[in-house]
Amino acid sequence: METVIIDVPCFVVCTDCGKSDSYADRHAARRDDWHELSIDGVVGPADQSEWYGLCPECSR
C-alpha cells in the first residue's frame, strides 16, 4: 500500500543543530532551503506534521 502525505502545516527540526521552525507545508520549508526532509509523524490538535532534516545553515 502506498503512503500518501497530505500537505498540512508543518514543524521542522534540524538534525544537526536543533534549530526548528514552522511552515505552511513541507514545500514552503524546502523553498526556504531546508534539505533532506523526512516525516516523523503528526502531532498536536491541529494535526501538524513534524519533519526532520537539515536547516539552511547546516546544509551548506
Side-chain angles (χ1 to χ4, degrees), residues 4-58:
V4 176
I5 298 172
I6 299 171
D7 288 322
V8 295
C10 72
F11 182 73
V12 292
V13 179
C14 181
T15 54
D16 274 4
C17 71
K19 174 184 175 176
S20 61
D21 212 340
S22 293
Y23 290 92
D25 58 36
R26 72 184 191 278
H27 302 294
R30 286 189 177 119
R31 282 191 299 273
D32 205 18
D33 276 341
W34 282 80
H35 292 274
E36 299 178 28
L37 293 175
S38 61
I39 193 164
D40 186 52
V42 178
V43 296
D47 290 335
Q48 185 176 25
S49 61
E50 186 170 88
W51 295 76
Y52 286 92
L54 294 174
C55 72
E57 290 79 23
C58 292

